[in-house]
Amino acid sequence: MELRLRDNLRVMFILIILLSTGSGENDEDWKFCGVWRHGNGPLSLKVNLSPGCSGISISADQSSLSIDGKITAQCRRSEVIIDPLKRLRLDSEETPFCLYWEPLMDQLKLQINHKKEDGKNLTLCWPASVRGPCCTDLSDGLTAPETPYGIMNGTIKTDFITHKIRAAYKYVADSINCSALCDQGSKQGSTQVHMNVAAGNIEHPCARSSVVEMEKDFRGANVTSPVTKGISAESTATVHLPSALKEAAKNTTKVVCTFYKNNSLFQEGHKKDRILDDVVEITVENEIIKDLRQPIKIDFHHNAIPEKHPRKCVSWDTRKDPLQVNWLVDGCETIPRGEKDTECLCNHLTYFTVLVQIEPRPVRHLLALTTITSLGCAVSVISCVALIIYLCRKRRSKEQSIPIHFGLAVSLAFLNLLFFFTGVLANTGGESVCVWVGAGLHYTLLSSFSWMGIEIFHTFWLVYMVFIPSPKPYVWSLFGFVLPAVPVIILAAVGDIYGLKKVVPSDDIHNPYLMCWMKDDPKALLAHYFTNMTILALLVSSGIVMLFLVYRKIRTRDEWKQNRVAFLSIWGLSCLFGTTWGLTFLDFGPLSDFVLFLSCIINSFQGFFLMLRFYMLDWMRKQTGGSSLGSSSTGSTRQHMLQTQEKS
């Protein structure tokens, strides 16, 4: 009894606050949040909305969440929505949700499971320019009874209502003139003008519309977005309506151009890019206009966009994607006019804006880099195959380093072979093939890194642990071939890591290069840094340290002093097989293009350099008449160093 009295007093207290604060100002937005307690069976969303201003009801039961009411100015929607809820991974029988209402935009949005990555933002009523009455100041209506299934933890904005499970929450609305509510929002936003005008983030609460009447002799018209007092005119949009629009519009002569400023709905779902503050909607009542003979031209004047961030004109087709904002380039052509102007040519009517790519950063000179890489990979594959044949002929010898060189040659051969064909496989096989090819490419890369590390460690062993026999060949194979498969198998089991990757060229952002690798989502990026970049950092640092330690050890010996240049070249090449990948960390600043090309050339031709190393060793052996100086393997080097220490 006391608990029920406490809940009733809490509701009354919230109502008193809402009524007292609402007496001077009307609500420009409204937000209701709660937790839907449901069963384990199929779930659905029932929507029944129509124009009016009587109120809204949010109800729920074991299998459905329902939104019913009359609060909109233009929006009508009556349907049962199932598919978006099917794609949600609901871990429990309690699903959080929030309902947002913006009367000045006639905009109603539902967020389901929004606290998780797979949450959905569903647009129940699209943004529009509202004229006449606006439905606002929603207040609590009748209290619904408690039920086992329904809505718990109800909240209005930041005011908590009750933790009990209710079958429904009902709210009564009041009608107000939209112009008065818009003026109220403009006055409240005037304090923001002085703070945020430099950043260009002033948000005006109302959409502005202009109506164009197409007469019989209509030859086109220009419509410019209205300039609002207190807001900088730096960001504007101008619409050029062609005469062909009159031919396409058969049932009406009115075209409505609506201009939106900083509507958060349009930005949803964009992490690697963002849209301009200005969005333009062009509509002809009760008609679908597409494939215009003459395109509509929209000139966006905006803040300066640097060249490194490509832009493209996009549109949201509400017929194809009625519930979620989905910006597509279909039907639009982009013509940049300097850093501050973008011209869009589109052959249909809907919402339009400019999408600016923030990340990943487009690659400059991608065609040249791809050509060099393909050539280098082809040469490296041939070189590695020749080296493998050469090493197979020498496997009967007692030289301990041959299995290590053999393992490195095999891993590099497969790495270059897969990288050479990754573009072809991505374009022909698509996502399904790229899952396997991407995993294979990752394995061969880690295997190559492992064998490079083994080369470094073995070289260090020969110099500093002369009297200790090196590990057996199967130990090297375990670390070089088996160990790299462990992280790849784990990532493949996690799923959604490997697949199709798009590399965007800076000179043609609409035609990305496709390859099979790790995807561009945060989970795959985290896996990339934990596996590839961490191992690479260890490999590069250990390679540099090894080269320094070896040089310090051998520089005082007479046998090495006689041919210092030759021996340092050999040791340097051995170390270089790992350290050249360190150029990846230097891809920044004014020399980034030079470093990118240098890294591309050296690393793609790495198999060729590996073969060149053995050619130099054989050449030196022949020049010295087969002495220890020209030994073709570090195994003979070990014997020579043993002899040197015995003499000393």
Side-chain angles (χ1 to χ4, degrees), residues 183-197:
D183 293 338
Q184 172 189 306
S186 299
K187 291 177 182 178
Q188 291 178 351
S190 63
T191 58
Q192 301 176 358
V193 171
H194 302 289
M195 294 185 292
N196 297 333
V197 68

Side-chain angles (χ1 to χ4, degrees), residues 227-246:
V227 178
T228 305
K229 184 179 179 181
I231 296 181
S232 172
E234 181 71 18
S235 179
T236 58
T238 301
V239 178
H240 303 269
L241 301 175
S243 58
L245 185 58
K246 172 67 176 176

Side-chain angles (χ1 to χ4, degrees), residues 308-319:
K308 64 180 181 180
H309 296 301
R311 49 192 136 147
K312 51 188 175 183
C313 297
V314 291
S315 65
W316 171 28
D317 191 342
T318 54
R319 293 179 296 109

Side-chain angles (χ1 to χ4, degrees), residues 1-9 164:
M1 183 69 181
E2 292 180 0
L3 186 61
R4 182 180 298 176
L5 179 62
R6 193 185 309 135
D7 286 337
N8 290 336
L9 288 174
K164 294 182 178 180

Side-chain angles (χ1 to χ4, degrees), residues 32 48 66 248 396 399 442 456 472-473 503 525 565 639 643:
F32 175 84
N48 186 19
S66 301
R396 294 181 180 179
E399 297 175 5
H442 190 206
I456 293 171
K472 299 294 183 181
V503 183
L525 186 63
V565 175
Q639 295 175 1
Q643 294 170 3

